[in-house]
Amino acid sequence: MVEVTYNFSAGPGLLPASVRARLAQAIAAEASLAEMSHRSLAFAEILEATKAGIRRHLGVDDAYEVLFLMGGARLQFDWIARNFLKHKAHYVVSGLWSAMAADRARAFGHEVSTQALGELEAPKEADYAFICSNETVDGIKFGAWPESDVPLVIDASSDIFSAPVRMDSVGLLFAGAQKNLGIAGVTVVVIRKDFLAKAQVSESDYLTSYKAHAKAGNLLTTPPVVAIAAVKYILDWIEGEGGVATLAQRNRVKADLIYRTIDESVGFYRCDVPVMQRSVTNVVFDLPDETALSAFLVGAHKRGLINLKGHRTKGGIRASLYNAMPLAGAQKLAQYMKEFQKEYCHGS
Ligand code: PMP
């Protein structure tokens, strides 16, 4: 009998058990969170506390606006170009998501320069430089955020709050909540106010205007109340766990365990990502062939290790080790990988 299930989904991802319980309780309550008016005092308090928690865990003050938008992280690819691309933008293309973001920017008819993963080479006259801090599909991390005169725009959808970051040069950061930050339905956008002032979409064109949403205090349209509260519960949980730096240490241990198991398998498990670029939150690897892959997934499922199948464009295995994944989950996966290899090699 399976006692514990570990969910390795890339997103929507797992929630800490205490957050799941708190959310369930808040929704099931007589005065349900799901029925709360977005104009109520109770929601105003949730909104303010959530903004404050995001700023605190990012290490920034109220020089940064915090917005809670809908339409998915992908919609931000469009909004960013629409609002900030005036002459030229620069994109670091490190995987599927940043490539898609650069494509969207090109649709606006201005100059878009690109580079591969590496030291930032943004032309100094660029309106912004776009970086995806973690490529969820490819299992590739950008690494430390650089100091830059060109404002950085960061897609941190799959690694926000997985480790402390350097915000000095960040003009805008966004993250879909459904991985490290809560449940699907909200995208958190953090914008430095002097960068926001440069947004070219006017407030009257309010559907795609950061300025309009900021001015309306997030209440321009009815915000996703439950999803925002879930972000608050996650922030409270991070605080209780000892903060982002503590989580970063834990994440390192979990990821190292899986990468070590891959590297020690003498080629049975293959990870093509160079060591320095290996993601801490999404470990991507492959097995010798499709038969082995299918058998691995079936065996994993039986042991309660679920949602390990790689992205549909890539195949293979993807083990997402977000903040909420306990060390025991990574240990159980590593143990299973070793056992599977032994059995498979012995049997064939
Ligand atoms: N950026 C990154 C890094 C992602 O991982 C994802 C979703 N997996 C997206 C953008 C797109 O998010 P959404 O599906 O919310 O549009």
Side-chain angles (χ1 to χ4, degrees), residues 33-322:
L33 178 65
E35 300 164 18
M36 183 182 278
S37 162
H38 62 297
R39 301 204 180 271
S40 65
L41 186 61
F43 183 65
E45 282 171 6
I46 290 174
L47 203 52
E48 281 318 303
T50 313
K51 286 184 188 179
I54 285 169
R55 290 190 181 112
R56 190 168 60 252
H57 291 312
L58 283 176
V60 299
D61 58 19
D62 60 9
Y64 286 78
E65 188 68 66
V66 181
L67 300 176
F68 301 94
L69 301 178
M70 291 179 282
R74 211 171 310 202
L75 198 66
Q76 294 307 308
F77 297 167
D78 228 86
W79 276 44
I80 286 157
R82 202 177 281 275
N83 277 270
F84 297 109
L85 175 46
K86 295 173 185 168
H87 309 289
K88 185 189 274 194
H90 186 73
Y91 282 70
V92 179
V93 176
S94 51
L96 182 137
W97 292 113
S98 50
M100 195 185 286
D103 275 351
R104 281 310 304 159
R106 280 192 200 97
F108 288 85
H110 296 289
E111 195 182 334
V112 174
S113 57
T114 58
Q115 66 163 93
L117 190 55
E119 205 171 311
L120 187 66
E121 296 158 4
K124 61 178 186 325
E125 66 279 15
D127 298 312
Y128 61 85
F130 184 103
I131 289 168
C132 178
S133 54
N134 184 74
E135 288 284 0
T136 324
V137 171
D138 308 86
I140 292 174
K141 68 166 187 205
F142 178 83
W145 300 357
E147 204 177 340
S148 162
D149 291 334
V150 176
L152 303 179
V153 168
I154 311 252
D155 178 355
S157 291
S158 51
D159 67 348
I160 189 166
F161 300 138
S162 65
V165 290
R166 173 185 192 162
M167 290 289 289
D168 309 23
S169 304
V170 175
L172 184 152
L173 171 153
F174 67 99
Q178 65 270 23
K179 301 164 197 297
N180 242 355
L181 206 47
I183 61 173
V186 67
T187 299
V188 171
V189 181
V190 180
I191 318 180
R192 212 175 58 215
K193 287 177 182 164
D194 59 353
F195 187 64
L196 175 62
K198 294 185 197 163
Q200 61 192 351
V201 178
S202 74
E203 284 169 33
S204 56
D205 198 1
Y206 68 89
L207 286 177
T208 55
S209 165
Y210 288 118
K211 281 180 180 163
H213 281 269
K215 194 170 176 196
N218 273 290
L219 302 177
L220 188 63
T221 60
T222 307
V225 170
V226 173
I228 293 172
V231 173
K232 181 186 180 298
Y233 299 165
I234 287 285
L235 296 167
D236 291 347
W237 174 81
I238 293 175
E239 190 87 47
E241 293 297 297
V244 174
T246 305
L247 293 177
Q249 286 173 2
R250 213 188 281 170
N251 289 336
R252 193 68 269 165
V253 174
K254 291 183 295 186
D256 282 349
L257 189 58
I258 306 302
Y259 285 121
R260 205 177 328 119
T261 308
I262 294 168
D263 292 340
E264 287 174 0
S265 75
V266 286
F268 183 77
Y269 298 109
R270 276 192 341 271
C271 172
D272 297 333
V273 182
V275 172
M276 294 301 289
Q277 298 175 2
R278 286 178 171 181
S279 167
V280 175
T281 45
N282 308 97
V283 181
V284 170
F285 60 95
D286 218 333
L287 278 86
D289 52 45
E290 285 300 317
T291 314
L293 181 68
S294 308
F296 181 89
L297 287 168
V298 170
H301 203 271
K302 278 190 192 142
R303 287 166 177 76
L305 304 168
I306 64 168
N307 293 324
L308 279 162
K309 198 168 179 201
H311 190 263
R312 63 188 183 281
T313 59
K314 251 187 120 68
I317 301 289
R318 173 169 52 171
S320 296
L321 305 170
Y322 297 127

